[in-house]
Amino acid sequence: MSPLATFQQISRLLMDSWISSPDGLASPEDIYLPLSDRLRPNMVLIAVDVRPVNPLDFRIDFIQGYHLRTGLADVSSLQQSRSFSEFPDTRFLHDTMIPAYVVAVQRQRPMMRRVVTRVLDTIISYDRIVLPQRITTGRSSWCIALLDIHFLLPTASTDQSLDHVDLGILQLLTEGEPTRGIGSELNLSHRTIEHRIDHLKSSFRARNIPHLVALWIAAGLGGSAEPDN
């Protein structure tokens, strides 16, 4: 069994295979199959049939899905082979999925970028490379995409009632400061900090401090996730 590789390593190997592939290669398997046993469990490898004129009729097939354990999303339902029109999140479909493959086919070259977006009730961050079928004349029939997923976060709303002390506590928690250290930094008693943290956990419906930090970060990312143009 080959050793697992990083996203950068696999992307480079995919690019090398893509560059050396013959014009109009019929099957994408010839490019990705030699590398499929080197993928990490947080990586997703997909093949997309882009022959239809209407992108809603594109078809996505999962060669390898994300299989780290998570309770944030019904990952298995999201990773079913289907036409684009059947994907359960239409916003993600139109803002992120369709542009990625339409642009790759139009430009006829690999496209790489980092994405932070929302899928259903989960914020997701990943690096992605899309490689269209190399073809001199006509239009590509397929694309390959590799996603390297960095994290999944629960969606959360920013609590507009947070004051400067709450924001300071959240920032210091994110930096790994213990409650006593936070009290020292903010010139407040240890008990005051604990009380504030309990109130923040209640406001964000967080189960514990790590969950609180994750929800706070997610609230910020949720407002800044951009369409994939």
Side-chain angles (χ1 to χ4, degrees):
M1 182 176 179
S2 303
L4 300 182
T6 65
F7 175 76
Q8 289 76 18
Q9 290 170 332
I10 295 180
S11 295
R12 186 165 56 250
L13 292 171
L14 284 172
M15 285 283 290
D16 291 344
S17 182
W18 180 84
I19 290 169
S20 62
S21 65
D23 183 72
L25 180 67
S27 173
E29 289 186 3
D30 293 332
I31 291 179
Y32 69 71
L33 198 58
L35 306 172
S36 58
D37 64 344
R38 302 193 62 185
L39 302 183
R40 297 174 184 269
N42 65 307
M43 293 180 178
V44 177
L45 179 64
I46 57 181
V48 180
D49 182 344
V50 295
R51 288 175 296 179
V53 175
N54 186 346
L56 290 175
D57 295 325
F58 289 177
R59 180 173 179 82
I60 184 171
D61 288 303
F62 286 83
I63 313 306
Q64 173 179 298
Y66 180 87
H67 53 271
L68 292 179
R69 294 183 64 86
T70 175
L72 289 180
D74 186 356
V75 173
S76 61
S77 69
L78 291 173
Q79 298 183 140
Q80 294 177 5
S81 297
R82 68 184 100 200
S83 68
F84 274 22
S85 63
E86 298 172 317
F87 194 78
D89 188 324
T90 56
R91 179 183 179 277
F92 178 74
L93 172 69
H94 288 283
D95 288 351
T96 302
M97 289 177 64
I98 288 176
Y101 302 102
V102 169
V103 170
V105 169
Q106 289 174 342
R107 297 184 181 177
Q108 279 294 298
R109 59 182 176 85
M111 308 291 294
M112 185 180 293
R113 70 165 297 173
R114 175 161 293 184
V115 179
V116 179
T117 189
R118 176 174 175 170
V119 183
L120 297 178
D121 293 326
T122 301
I123 292 172
I124 179 172
S125 170
Y126 56 90
D127 285 322
R128 182 196 63 212
I129 182 171
V130 178
L131 302 101
Q133 177 194 34
R134 289 181 68 244
I135 189 165
T136 303
T137 59
R139 186 172 178 277
S140 297
S141 297
W142 50 260
C143 289
I144 299 168
L146 176 68
L147 281 62
D148 184 45
I149 298 178
H150 305 302
F151 59 75
L152 306 175
L153 289 174
T155 54
S157 299
T158 303
D159 187 342
Q160 299 298 328
S161 67
L162 297 179
D163 61 20
H164 70 284
V165 175
D166 290 333
L167 292 172
I169 290 171
L170 287 166
Q171 179 59 44
L172 291 168
L173 285 174
T174 303
E175 296 173 16
E177 281 288 343
T179 55
R180 290 189 182 279
I182 293 173
S184 177
E185 289 283 348
L186 300 181
N187 294 317
L188 295 171
S189 71
H190 176 236
R191 289 190 180 277
T192 298
I193 298 301
E194 288 185 336
H195 175 75
R196 287 272 190 159
I197 289 174
D198 286 340
H199 178 73
L200 286 167
K201 286 193 293 185
S202 177
S203 296
F204 280 88
R205 298 181 181 179
R207 295 189 295 271
N208 48 45
I209 289 178
H211 191 210
L212 170 63
V213 170
L215 289 170
W216 183 56
I217 293 172
L221 291 175
S224 62
E226 298 178 356
D228 188 22
N229 297 323

